Amino acid sequence: RQNADLAKEINLGYKKKQTQREMEKAAKEQGKEATTPSSETEEAAPITIAQLGLVQEAAQKRLWDKLASMDVTPYKEENVDLDAKRPVGHSTHNLLVKDKKSKQLYLIATRQSVNANLKDLAKKLNAKELRLARSSKECLCIDNGCITLLSLYNNSGEVVPVIDSKLLTDGGQKLRICSGCTNPQDHSQHNVVDVTAAVVKDILKESNTSGPIYIDFE
């Protein structure tokens, strides 16, 4: 009887071996849970791009959802002057650069009227040499093209913003900034927003972004 009771206890604690099909199904379900963010995850900040697993469309939606929660609505820009060196009417000029030695990425955001000298800026940042970055896809979930301070809402944590100290003043004046293009290589497809400096600062605060670094350019 003791042996029968022992066998019963062992059987109760025994876990049936999974079939190959069951194991594949379980692995597939785990993969879905790892790559598909819940609504709670999407709203949380800061968060890494690896956790989000975003493609460009999803990254833009995440940013626009955040803007909508702040009562900001992007709109399609009309009559775009494609011959202009910089988008007419926009408030910022942006460059994504990388330090040659440390590989640190910086997003330089200045007023449209400013021409940033990368050699002088490298000295201020204690960088060896600043060069234009080749890609923003891994660090910001978007292809090269319209990259602005708003893009940092989907920052992987690799990009540090370097901001013109006269750009985000608290005077209440609104800034016109691109919030993402339908095609990032086509500057006739700007989706812009008119926002205060406070909105931009809130976006940066809730992103996975260290800094920012404020510099007096002119």
Side-chain angles (χ1 to χ4, degrees):
R1 186 173 180 178
Q2 290 179 348
N3 290 336
D5 290 339
L6 179 61
K8 185 177 180 180
E9 290 175 2
I10 292 174
N11 287 331
L12 285 173
Y14 177 78
K15 186 176 180 181
K16 185 179 178 181
K17 185 176 180 181
Q18 287 182 310
T19 65
Q20 181 66 26
R21 184 175 181 181
E22 288 173 335
M23 286 189 291
E24 290 176 355
K25 184 178 180 181
K28 187 176 181 180
E29 290 299 321
Q30 283 186 342
K32 285 183 179 179
E33 293 175 1
T35 58
T36 305
S38 66
S39 58
E40 293 181 357
T41 302
E42 288 181 354
E43 294 172 0
I47 189 167
T48 66
I49 293 305
Q51 288 172 303
L52 287 171
L54 298 180
V55 294
Q56 181 169 321
E57 292 78 8
Q60 180 167 290
K61 181 182 183 302
R62 183 171 183 265
L63 170 60
W64 284 18
D65 286 346
K66 175 60 183 174
L67 290 170
S69 73
M70 305 170 81
D71 296 321
V72 176
T73 303
Y75 61 92
K76 185 75 174 287
E77 193 173 38
E78 297 180 353
N79 302 319
V80 179
D81 184 358
L82 296 178
D83 293 325
K85 291 183 178 180
R86 298 182 181 183
V88 177
H90 289 216
S91 303
T92 68
H93 181 61
N94 308 276
L95 293 172
L96 184 64
V97 300
K98 179 185 281 189
D99 179 10
K100 180 181 178 181
K101 184 176 181 180
S102 69
K103 309 304 181 185
Q104 175 63 58
L105 289 163
Y106 298 98
L107 177 61
I108 304 168
T110 68
R111 290 160 289 151
Q112 276 275 30
S113 59
V114 171
N115 291 306
N117 185 306
L118 293 185
K119 184 176 287 188
D120 292 342
L121 185 57
K123 293 177 182 178
K124 293 180 180 180
L125 295 173
N126 293 319
K128 181 175 179 58
E129 182 181 347
L130 296 178
R131 296 180 174 180
L132 293 178
R134 293 184 178 180
S135 173
S136 58
K137 194 167 187 178
E138 278 117 22
C139 58
L140 295 173
C141 291
I142 57 175
D143 295 327
N144 287 326
C146 265
I147 302 169
T148 69
L149 288 173
L150 299 180
S151 306
L152 291 173
Y153 189 60
N154 293 309
N155 187 5
S156 66
E158 299 175 66
V159 184
V160 175
V162 178
I163 303 175
D164 182 350
S165 60
K166 295 179 182 178
L167 179 62
L168 300 182
T169 57
D170 296 319
Q173 183 178 358
K174 289 194 173 182
L175 304 168
R176 179 167 294 179
I177 304 176
C178 183
S179 61
C181 298
T182 306
N183 179 347
Q185 302 295 344
D186 184 351
H187 289 289
S188 69
Q189 301 182 41
H190 289 298
N191 294 297
V192 297
V193 292
D194 297 318
V195 294
T196 62
V199 168
V200 178
K201 289 178 180 179
D202 283 345
I203 290 287
L204 294 178
K205 189 183 298 182
E206 295 190 24
S207 68
N208 192 27
T209 299
S210 59
I213 301 170
Y214 290 93
I215 287 182
D216 187 5
F217 282 89
E218 288 181 3

